[in-house]
Amino acid sequence: MRFDIISVLPGLLDSPFAHSILQRAQKKGIAEIVVHNLRDYATNKQKSVDDYPYGGGSGMVMTIEPFAAIIEKLKAERDYDEIIFMSPDGETLNQQIANQLSIKGNIIILCGHYKGIDQRIRDIFVTREISIGDYVLSGGELPAAVLVDAVVRLIPGVLSDETSALSDSFQDGLLDAPVYTRPAEWNGHRVPDILLSGNTPEIEKWRFEQAVERTRLRRPDLLDE
Ligand code: SAH
């Protein structure tokens, strides 16, 4: 799976993809993540990628030409399944969307800045708009990193213990059960006996009950669905 992320601040994305699971996925050749500097596609002398909004008002708007240039270039090189714009007014990212995207081949992600991007870019090129929550960040880079992380860890072969993604919160419509590790007792606080019993079917049953109970208390809306 390949991601082409288009950003005016590519340096913001150096670190998120250079560690842990995302780094391993790239080393294994399962995910390819390419970050492009939008400014390289600016057509004017000042290399600017934004301009004043028509109609007045505060905040700059990102212009259509550089986005069009790089999107056309990328589309000439390979087919893309989705061109995603990270935007607070898009559909809110959830595990279901991450699952849908994890079986795609090539995806372009556009990161906005300032007041946003010229609406025509969204109308003409963008196939899907995704928000990471009801709050506004200064740019689309952190949201893009969140999206790529959520998607890549679901691609088979990325996590060493494949079942660990399947039992994560939301994956089966439930929150995850509580987890414990050594020591079995710390300052009088004991790990639940069942987890030390070695009785796998009973442990599975306990985990399921805990997951249902936690979901009922914290996110009853998930059980309604
Ligand atoms: N004026 C816009 C916000 C612009 S914020 C509005 O009110 O909707 C600048 C850029 O940051 C956006 O274009 C988007 O790419 C990114 N961004 C900010 N908050 C985001 C969020 N919650 N989810 C996804 N992207 C976001």
Side-chain angles (χ1 to χ4, degrees), residues 18-178:
H19 305 276
S20 181
I21 289 166
L22 286 171
Q23 183 197 44
R24 213 180 323 136
Q26 292 171 90
K27 282 198 173 146
K28 283 185 181 172
I30 298 173
E32 190 180 355
I33 305 169
V34 186
V35 182
H36 305 269
N37 190 343
L38 182 66
R39 228 172 270 285
D40 293 342
Y41 297 82
T43 42
N44 52 14
K45 250 194 265 146
Q46 309 80 38
K47 292 275 167 206
S48 74
V49 293
D50 59 296
D51 210 332
Y52 293 99
Y54 274 123
S58 63
M60 301 298 275
V61 176
M62 298 181 82
T63 54
I64 193 167
E65 292 99 330
F67 275 112
I70 178 156
I71 291 170
E72 297 295 4
K73 175 182 170 272
L74 289 172
K75 281 170 82 173
E77 290 166 0
R78 66 190 67 74
D79 289 332
Y80 285 91
D81 300 300
E82 297 277 10
I83 300 182
I84 298 172
F85 175 47
M86 303 311 302
S87 185
D89 58 10
E91 53 182 330
T92 308
L93 179 61
N94 59 26
Q95 197 66 16
Q96 195 191 342
I97 296 175
N99 276 304
Q100 287 168 5
L101 295 177
S102 71
I103 54 172
K104 304 273 182 189
N106 302 317
I107 292 179
I108 294 176
I109 302 178
L110 312 182
C111 304
H113 264 274
Y114 321 114
K115 195 73 187 151
I117 67 176
D118 189 308
Q119 179 60 38
R120 290 168 293 181
I121 305 169
R122 302 170 69 166
D123 295 342
I124 298 167
F125 298 110
V126 169
T127 60
R128 195 157 187 175
E129 303 190 323
I130 296 178
S131 163
I132 62 160
D134 290 348
Y135 42 84
V136 176
L137 300 162
S138 4
E141 286 76 12
L142 299 180
V146 168
L147 176 65
V148 171
D149 188 316
V151 171
V152 167
R153 64 198 303 287
L154 293 172
I155 306 173
V158 169
L159 296 185
S160 34
D161 176 6
E162 279 192 39
T163 56
S164 72
L166 296 179
S167 68
D168 277 340
S169 290
F170 308 112
Q171 198 61 23
D172 53 2
L174 293 174
L175 301 180
D176 204 355

